[in-house]
Amino acid sequence: MSNSPSERSSSPELASAMIGDEMTDDAQQFQQIIRDRRYEREDIQKKAFTKWINNRLAEKSSTPPVTDLFQDLRDGVILLQLLEVLTGNDCKRENGKMRVHHIENVNKVIAILNEHGIKLLSISSNDIVDGNAKLTLALIWSIIQYWQGKDVMKSAETDAEQTNIEKFLLAWCQEQTKGYKGVEINDFTRSWQDGLAFNALIHKFRPDLFDYDDILQNASARNLEHAFSVAKNVFKIDRYLDVEDVISDYPDKKSILMYVMCLFQQLPTSNIIIEDKEKTETSTTTTLTDDTTSTATKAPEEEIETHLRSDEDSARLKTFQTNIDKVLEWVLNLENELDKQDKTPSDDLKTIKEQFQSHEEFMVSLTQDQNQIGEILLEGNQLLTSANFQLQLEEINEVKEKMKVLNDHWESLRSKSLERQAVLHKALMKLQIDQIESFDAWLTQTESRISTDLNILEQNLTGINRQYQQLAELQDELVSQQQITESLQNMIIVIDDSLSENLDPASKYSSTEIESKLLSLSERWAQICNFVQTRWIQLQEVKIEFEQIHTNLDKVEKWLVTKEDEVNKMQEETNLTDQETFMQQVNTLEKTESEMADMRQAILLLNGSLQVLSQHYDSSTATEYNNLSNQIDTFEKRWTKLIDNLEHCSRLLKSANLTSSVDPKSDSELTHNKITTTVEETTTTTTTYDNTDESEDKKEKTNDENTVKLEFDVSARKYVDWIDSIERILSEKPSNTEERKNIIQEVKTKYVSYDDQFKSLIETGIAITKELKDASEDSTEHESALQSLENRWQELSQLIVNYEKDVELADFNTELEAITKARNEYQTWIDSTSSNDELQV
């Protein structure tokens, strides 16, 4: 069953079919279609067809009802479920949410309809998936007309040539209501407005239900309500129509015809034969042929009655000739514009995308403006067939010739446009597939490099520097590959509705496979980007720690070797009564004391670096990390031994000073004080002086406090370095929103995990401030550093909050742009469908 031409208003294909040997018959049919178009009510059809579908789907209890016809049918699932009910066969469907899955489902619907002989001209799967209201209604009407009409025809015995369900039902209604007062059924629109026709049909078969004469004086709305109520309550016919649908100025023909089909099926009729009067009566209609005007018996040419045309008719003919010349000129200009396009597809993907999109815009312009083709052909057909408009034979031939030339050029333009589109599509898909495969190969190679070279952190500075360089090179590659990922995001995929499996002859992959491959590439790309970002932060942190370790290791090692050698020489010295030797050792101890604070801080830094590295390495498997840890432990032991030896030397010097014959009023007293001070300030164990326990406790407490402050300073510097690093990272602000999300999430997690430790550090700093003040020492510098550290920590917290807001704003802007784009596309679609005609692509 072919799709009704009324579904495409002013179609140039339909109008062009009127030209030729059978122009008159086709023109009369087209005129009838134009007259019927006013009775096409989308709002009424939508409501009636929705009820019909839900009534059918009620047989499948698991199927949810249709609420919005144009939206609910877009994925094709409900259409396939409806066909399962109508055909009794299972229909396999795609359950995916992507557009390609929806198109595959609708393609299967069209294929099933084709199997039943229902040809859907000018309706594609894209129209249904896009929610095209007019074409969705046309599709549902084709289904109703076939299956509902098939049930009707089973109930009647018709001749072999009787296939027009509308004519059959019209004749049946006329036959059944013959003799009923006030009933004259000539169509399926106005003849039913007063409700008498519906009531007459019901009364014909069930006169016991009501007295027909009683309703003759009722208002139309009351009669309609009476008929619909009886049909619902007695014959179980759903109320597909509402009263206001029928009494409107232009009732919907298809909805009324559908309702009458239901009446026919439910009324207790027996098999009937309706004679087609059009085939038994001699036609006296005047028709137009290619050669002359004739009756059914074709009068001779010399008997044609001619009339003089009025000035108005002459002006109408002249206007038509002017308009068709303008339209033809427009078509010829379009042909010229198409011929000027570069016939050779570019080898550059960006260029060919521009060529393809430019040609798509050209195709859209054809669709939007093709109405004028149909309108001018319709005007010409009306001139040829109008009984009140007389044309001379040469004028008839001229009008026909111009219409034929216009139609030929239009068809040629469409054909060339489609060929051009196919060529560009083939070249475009080849380049896009090449780009996909090239990018796939790069991802595979990069994943292999990451697995081999970067997946496991090296355990020494040389290896870390090498990985740092490799990662920097990979970052450069990511920047260069970014353009390819953007190109793949804007990949153009053309779905061919004629291919149920979407197998594109221009591509080695189906559209479903391309969608799946693009999704896979996107996920792999994101994984690599996330890895690079995370590893870059880790390498920066580890690299800094290893550099500090190597610097401090060398520094502490050299200092310990030097001091161990000096102390050994001091211990070997036996002549401490010699003033020069004595003073030399005192100076050595004093110099050592001045250096010890710096060395102790260096050792603490080594311990701090080792603690940071422990977060990145597993001590059970990291051999070099364990060696480094052992080396630092050795430093601690050597430091302790050095302190013990320094104490021993200090005691020897004190003993030598007490037994010395040097003048008590000489510098020996001052020297003793210096030695004592040096030993007390540089050692962490008690001296051999016979001091009181209180004095020794005080000295030990002082040493502990010095150690705590050193450790605080080291930790504080660590936090300052970390804050500096995070601020640098956040200031970079990569353009990719997803990368920024990953960065801020990791930074926030680190910040939260460090917060408790930081608070403990601040409490320690406050305690140190109190101790310094209690000891009457200057705490200004320490308090300033502590306050600065707290401020930096709070500023970093605010920076993280602001960064999160920026990311959220970027997300919002992206979504807003997508919504705006969708709205614009939807508006463009609405504007394009207002023309009621589209090219079949």
Side-chain angles (χ1 to χ4, degrees):
M1 182 178 297
S2 62
N3 181 41
S4 171
S6 64
E7 301 304 325
R8 294 280 192 180
S9 68
S10 305
S11 170
E13 292 89 342
L14 183 61
S16 65
M18 302 174 187
I19 304 173
D21 294 337
E22 300 178 354
M23 174 177 287
T24 303
D25 293 339
D26 291 340
Q28 291 174 347
Q29 180 185 5
F30 189 80
Q31 284 180 320
Q32 182 62 40
I33 292 170
I34 296 300
R35 287 194 296 271
D36 290 344
R37 182 168 294 121
R38 71 182 62 183
Y39 298 107
E40 291 284 337
R41 290 284 302 278
E42 287 187 6
D43 55 334
I44 297 176
Q45 287 182 19
K46 179 181 180 182
K47 182 167 53 177
F49 292 178
T50 299
K51 292 178 180 178
W52 186 86
I53 291 175
N54 285 334
N55 181 270
R56 292 288 184 161
L57 291 178
E59 300 176 22
K60 292 178 70 70
S61 58
S62 61
T63 304
V66 176
T67 56
D68 187 332
L69 189 69
F70 306 140
Q71 292 297 319
D72 294 349
L73 302 188
R74 290 178 63 180
D75 60 4
V77 173
I78 291 180
L79 285 172
L80 288 172
Q81 291 173 339
L82 176 62
L83 290 178
E84 286 182 344
V85 173
L86 296 175
T87 63
N89 299 324
D90 291 335
C91 300
K92 184 179 179 182
R93 49 187 170 270
E94 297 289 337
N95 293 320
K97 300 299 182 182
M98 300 177 66
R99 178 181 177 86
V100 64
H101 300 130
H102 300 168
I103 288 179
E104 287 184 5
N105 285 336
V106 179
N107 278 336
K108 291 176 183 178
V109 171
I110 295 175
I112 293 172
L113 296 181
N114 285 336
E115 292 174 2
H116 287 79
I118 305 174
K119 303 300 181 183
L120 301 176
L121 300 180
S122 302
I123 299 180
S124 70
S125 55
N126 276 318
D127 296 324
I128 308 303
V129 173
D130 290 338
N132 186 305
K134 178 176 281 295
L135 299 182
T136 300
L137 292 173
L139 173 67
I140 299 302
W141 175 244
S142 297
I143 294 174
I144 294 173
Q145 199 173 22
Y146 178 80
W147 269 279
Q148 194 81 35
K150 183 174 67 173
D151 293 340
V152 169
M153 301 308 290
K154 286 180 181 179
S155 304
E157 296 179 359
T158 62
D159 58 38
E161 298 181 1
Q162 176 62 281
T163 58
N164 191 314
I165 184 65
E166 181 179 341
K167 289 183 179 180
F168 170 78
L169 285 176
L170 183 61
W172 176 77
C173 291
Q174 291 170 341
E175 183 72 22
Q176 305 308 317
T177 59
K178 188 182 298 183
Y180 276 85
K181 187 177 180 179
V183 178
E184 184 178 354
I185 301 177
N186 299 315
D187 50 43
F188 285 100
T189 54
R190 292 185 178 273
S191 298
W192 305 81
Q193 283 182 306
D194 58 7
L196 293 177
F198 289 112
N199 282 286
L201 278 177
I202 296 173
H203 187 270
K204 172 70 176 178
F205 297 98
R206 290 293 303 273
D208 58 304
L209 295 177
F210 60 92
D211 188 342
Y212 179 79
D213 292 335
D214 290 346
I215 68 171
L216 290 175
Q217 302 304 318
N218 293 342
S220 299
R222 185 174 179 181
N223 288 338
L224 289 168
E225 179 63 33
H226 177 267
F228 295 158
S229 297
V230 172
K232 172 66 176 177
N233 297 329
V234 178
F235 301 109
K236 308 305 179 184
I237 299 174
D238 287 341
R239 297 188 63 145
Y240 298 128
L241 294 173
D242 292 328
V243 172
E244 59 270 19
D245 298 339
V246 183
I247 63 176
S248 64
D249 292 338
Y250 296 103
D252 182 65
K253 176 181 176 180
K254 293 178 180 177
S255 300
I256 294 177
L257 181 57
M258 181 184 72
Y259 191 79
V260 174
M261 289 183 193
C262 297
L263 280 174
F264 181 90
Q265 289 179 281
Q266 298 300 323
L267 291 175
T269 61
S270 58
N271 289 344
I272 58 175
I273 299 177
I274 302 299
E275 183 178 12
D276 190 350
K277 296 180 179 180
E278 293 182 2
K279 295 185 178 181
T280 59
E281 296 179 359
T282 303
S283 173
T284 59
T285 304
T286 301
T287 58
L288 179 66
T289 68
D290 286 342
D291 300 324
T292 184
T293 303
S294 66
T295 63
T297 57
K298 194 173 184 181
E301 182 177 342
E302 58 271 12
E303 295 179 4
I304 298 176
E305 182 180 0
T306 60
H307 301 278
L308 294 176
R309 280 199 305 270
S310 65
D311 292 341
E312 182 179 353
D313 288 345
S314 298
R316 181 183 176 189
L317 177 61
K318 185 176 181 180
T319 301
F320 167 77
Q321 291 174 332
T322 301
N323 290 340
I324 197 172
D325 288 341
K326 289 181 179 179
V327 174
L328 181 58
E329 181 181 2
W330 172 73
V331 173
L332 292 175
N333 288 336
L334 288 177
E335 285 186 313
N336 186 46
E337 180 183 341
L338 182 62
D339 291 338
K340 287 181 180 179
Q341 292 185 11
D342 188 3
K343 297 298 186 296
T344 305
S346 173
D347 291 334
D348 178 66
L349 181 56
K350 181 179 179 182
T351 303
I352 199 171
K353 276 187 177 181
E354 293 173 351
Q355 290 178 337
F356 185 85
Q357 291 170 346
S358 175
H359 187 70
E360 284 295 296
E361 293 173 0
F362 178 81
M363 297 283 287
V364 170
S365 69
L366 290 186
T367 303
Q368 293 174 342
D369 298 331
Q370 67 176 334
N371 270 354
Q372 54 185 314
I373 303 293
E375 290 169 357
I376 197 65
L377 293 178
L378 175 61
E379 175 68 17
N381 182 66
Q382 290 174 344
L383 291 177
L384 294 173
T385 58
S386 175
N388 300 321
F389 194 92
Q390 300 297 323
L391 292 175
Q392 299 297 326
L393 182 59
E394 60 271 16
E395 291 175 333
I396 293 175
N397 292 334
E398 181 182 358
V399 170
K400 287 183 178 180
E401 179 62 26
K402 286 190 175 183
M403 292 172 67
K404 184 175 185 305
V405 170
L406 176 60
N407 185 72
D408 290 344
H409 278 281
W410 175 253
E411 290 301 322
S412 174
L413 176 62
R414 289 181 65 251
S415 177
K416 289 180 181 178
S417 299
L418 292 173
E419 290 175 1
R420 170 69 173 163
Q421 185 188 47
V423 171
L424 288 174
H425 176 221
K426 182 177 180 180
L428 175 62
M429 288 306 299
K430 181 181 183 304
L431 291 178
Q432 289 186 145
I433 293 302
D434 290 345
Q435 187 181 59
I436 286 177
E437 293 178 342
S438 174
F439 188 59
D440 186 10
W442 180 85
L443 287 176
T444 302
Q445 181 186 21
T446 302
E447 288 165 344
S448 176
R449 288 165 55 192
I450 289 175
S451 176
T452 304
D453 302 328
L454 296 169
N455 201 40
I456 300 177
L457 283 175
E458 293 285 355
Q459 301 177 38
N460 54 65
L461 183 59
T462 302
I464 291 296
N465 283 332
R466 182 176 64 254
Q467 288 186 328
Y468 193 86
Q469 182 62 33
Q470 291 172 338
L471 199 62
E473 294 172 357
L474 182 54
Q475 282 184 320
D476 293 338
E477 292 183 34
L478 290 179
V479 174
S480 63
Q481 293 291 328
Q482 183 67 36
Q483 293 181 346
I484 296 179
T485 63
E486 293 173 356
S487 176
L488 291 176
Q489 288 174 354
N490 298 320
M491 184 174 181
I492 298 174
I493 302 177
V494 179
I495 305 298
D496 188 349
D497 297 333
S498 63
L499 302 172
S500 60
E501 297 299 328
N502 291 322
L503 294 176
D504 192 342
S507 169
K508 66 175 74 172
Y509 304 109
S510 68
S511 58
T512 304
E513 291 173 332
I514 292 176
E515 292 277 1
S516 176
K517 201 167 188 65
L518 287 175
L519 180 60
S520 173
L521 294 178
S522 174
E523 292 173 349
R524 292 167 64 192
W525 167 261
Q527 289 173 355
I528 290 176
C529 290
N530 291 336
F531 172 84
V532 170
Q533 181 64 39
T534 303
R535 183 63 84 209
W536 182 255
I537 295 174
Q538 291 175 340
L539 282 176
Q540 283 183 318
E541 188 172 21
V542 171
K543 184 173 183 292
I544 291 173
E545 299 304 331
F546 268 118
E547 287 174 347
Q548 290 181 348
I549 285 175
H550 277 260
T551 299
N552 290 321
L553 275 178
D554 185 61
K555 178 180 178 180
V556 173
E557 174 66 27
K558 289 180 178 179
W559 186 83
L560 284 175
V561 169
T562 301
K563 295 306 171 183
E564 287 170 345
D565 183 61
E566 289 178 353
V567 170
N568 289 335
K569 290 180 180 179
M570 290 173 63
Q571 288 178 329
E572 292 173 358
E573 180 63 51
T574 57
N575 186 18
L576 294 180
T577 57
D578 180 67
Q579 184 175 358
E580 182 179 355
T581 302
F582 182 87
M583 292 302 301
Q584 183 179 1
Q585 290 198 3
V586 167
N587 291 333
T588 299
L589 287 176
E590 188 175 26
K591 180 181 178 183
T592 301
E593 183 272 337
S594 65
E595 295 173 351
M596 288 186 70
D598 183 47
M599 288 303 109
R600 183 58 186 168
Q601 183 176 5
I603 293 176
L604 291 174
L605 287 174
L606 286 173
N607 284 321
S609 296
L610 194 64
Q611 185 177 3
V612 173
L613 292 180
S614 67
Q615 301 174 9
H616 302 284
Y617 295 100
D618 183 1
S619 59
S620 63
T621 57
T623 305
E624 295 191 38
Y625 167 80
N626 289 332
N627 292 339
L628 184 61
S629 178
N630 293 334
Q631 189 174 359
I632 294 175
D633 288 341
T634 302
F635 281 167
E636 290 285 358
K637 294 177 181 178
R638 292 170 65 185
W639 173 269
T640 302
K641 183 177 180 181
L642 178 63
I643 295 299
D644 292 340
N645 291 336
L646 287 173
E647 288 183 354
H648 178 67
C649 292
S650 177
R651 288 194 296 272
L652 292 177
L653 287 174
K654 291 175 183 177
S655 301
N657 185 50
L658 291 174
T659 58
S660 174
S661 60
V662 177
D663 185 358
K665 296 182 180 179
S666 67
D667 292 335
S668 60
E669 184 176 352
L670 178 61
T671 302
H672 169 73
N673 292 334
K674 286 184 180 181
I675 294 173
T676 304
T677 302
T678 300
V679 173
E680 288 178 349
E681 292 181 354
T682 56
T683 59
T684 56
T685 58
T686 59
T687 64
T688 57
Y689 266 139
D690 295 331
N691 297 326
T692 63
D693 292 340
E694 180 180 356
S695 175
E696 292 192 6
D697 289 342
K698 182 176 181 181
K699 180 176 65 175
E700 183 176 356
K701 180 178 180 182
T702 302
N703 290 333
D704 290 341
E705 290 173 353
N706 290 337
T707 301
V708 170
K709 187 174 186 308
L710 285 174
E711 291 177 349
F712 171 82
D713 292 339
V714 172
S715 298
R717 193 190 68 81
K718 285 288 184 180
Y719 275 99
V720 171
D721 290 344
W722 185 78
I723 292 173
D724 290 340
S725 175
I726 295 303
E727 287 177 345
R728 285 196 302 272
I729 292 171
L730 295 183
S731 65
E732 293 177 359
K733 291 187 178 179
S735 59
N736 189 301
T737 305
E738 196 62 33
E739 290 182 21
R740 295 176 65 187
K741 282 184 180 179
N742 293 334
I743 291 173
I744 194 60
Q745 184 61 38
E746 184 170 352
V747 169
K748 188 175 180 181
T749 301
K750 285 283 187 182
Y751 183 91
V752 172
S753 66
Y754 290 162
D755 194 49
D756 289 339
Q757 300 176 21
F758 181 81
K759 290 177 180 177
S760 298
L761 180 66
I762 295 300
E763 291 175 358
T764 301
I766 294 173
I768 292 173
T769 301
K770 183 176 183 303
E771 291 172 356
L772 289 173
K773 290 182 177 180
D774 291 344
S776 299
E777 295 184 21
D778 185 10
S779 63
T780 305
E781 182 178 353
H782 174 76
E783 286 183 283
S784 176
L786 182 62
Q787 185 62 46
S788 174
L789 181 61
E790 283 189 283
N791 292 340
R792 290 289 303 278
W793 190 254
Q794 295 302 323
E795 290 169 1
L796 178 60
S797 175
Q798 187 60 44
L799 181 61
I800 293 173
V801 171
N802 294 338
Y803 196 100
E804 280 188 304
K805 290 181 179 178
D806 289 343
V807 172
E808 291 175 358
L809 181 60
D811 262 351
F812 173 80
N813 290 335
T814 301
E815 293 177 3
L816 181 60
E817 289 174 2
I819 292 171
T820 304
K821 181 179 178 183
R823 185 192 67 80
N824 292 338
E825 290 177 352
Y826 186 70
Q827 185 62 47
T828 302
W829 169 78
I830 291 176
D831 295 340
S832 65
T833 55
S834 63
S835 64
N836 297 326
D837 253 301
E838 294 182 3
L839 286 173
Q840 183 177 355
V841 181

